[in-house]
Amino acid sequence: GENVEQHPSTLSVQEGDSAVIKCTYSDSASNYFPWYKQELGKRPQLIIDIRSNVGEKKDQRIAVTLNKTAKHFSLHITETQPEDSAVYFCAASRRAAGNKLTFGGGTRVLVKP
Amino acid sequence: DTGVSQNPRHKITKRGQNVTFRCDPISEHNRLYWYRQTLGQGPEFLTYFQNEAQLEKSRLLSDRFSAERPKGSFSTLEIQRTEQGDSAMYLCASTLTGEAGELFFGEGSRLTVL
């Protein structure tokens, strides 16, 4: 089955700086790669996603890049703000596997004011 | 429709007792997933349904765990003879069949086994 590795496990940045989280996946058939943000005690919520036919996607301060050959994808947050502090999870899925998501281990991001 | 709803939100039980969690998905969603999340870890897949059919179960789902979705709407997850290792957040998510896309998660049911 699919295996998703995520790094780093914790990330501390100064407000206004950029944050980068990296993930690798094992199943070359995976074709959907979402990123979820989870605040303490809350549900995971989708912040951005990318499909395998696209190399990069941007939404305001958040961007995701995908390298299918290397089987890795990354989340970039620019101009970080204190409200960006949370745990971020990458995931991968494919239609033939029931669209179930396989998650990485998470990155705890702390934005220091 | 306000999203995926899970009940109870918190459950404290003694080892050996049975517990049941309920998930009400977004009404038009025919796929429903159960995940388990322990502190500091990513959600781990347990099982999923398409309508009332349970299509896949993870190896994590021991024979003490059973899930149902009898009418293709709400789902229940029962844990029999709970163990301390079952303590976790149980998350439910739903989506529509089709191309891989967003799973909408509920707030979860937190289980503490004493």
Side-chain angles (χ1 to χ4, degrees), chain A residues 23-111:
Chain A
C23 289
T24 59
Y25 61 99
S26 61
D27 187 350
S28 56
S30 288
N31 60 358
Y32 176 68
F33 306 92
W35 287 88
Y36 282 79
K37 176 182 180 182
Q38 188 175 30
E39 297 177 359
L40 192 62
K42 299 290 184 66
R43 72 185 77 195
Q45 291 195 298
L46 181 74
I47 55 171
I48 195 167
D49 56 13
I50 192 168
R51 298 185 186 276
S52 57
N53 58 349
V54 174
E56 184 173 355
K57 184 176 179 181
K58 188 174 181 181
D59 182 5
Q60 300 182 351
R61 297 186 296 108
I62 294 173
V64 57
T65 58
L66 171 65
N67 183 326
K68 285 189 298 182
T69 304
K71 290 190 283 188
H72 67 69
F73 56 114
S74 301
L75 177 72
H76 304 253
I77 307 174
T78 59
E79 300 171 23
T80 52
Q81 301 169 4
E83 53 265 36
D84 295 329
S85 296
V87 180
Y88 292 81
F89 294 99
C90 62
S93 73
R94 58 187 176 95
R95 182 173 184 172
N99 293 347
K100 68 176 188 288
L101 293 175
T102 301
F103 285 86
T107 298
R108 181 172 299 278
V109 174
L110 175 63
V111 180

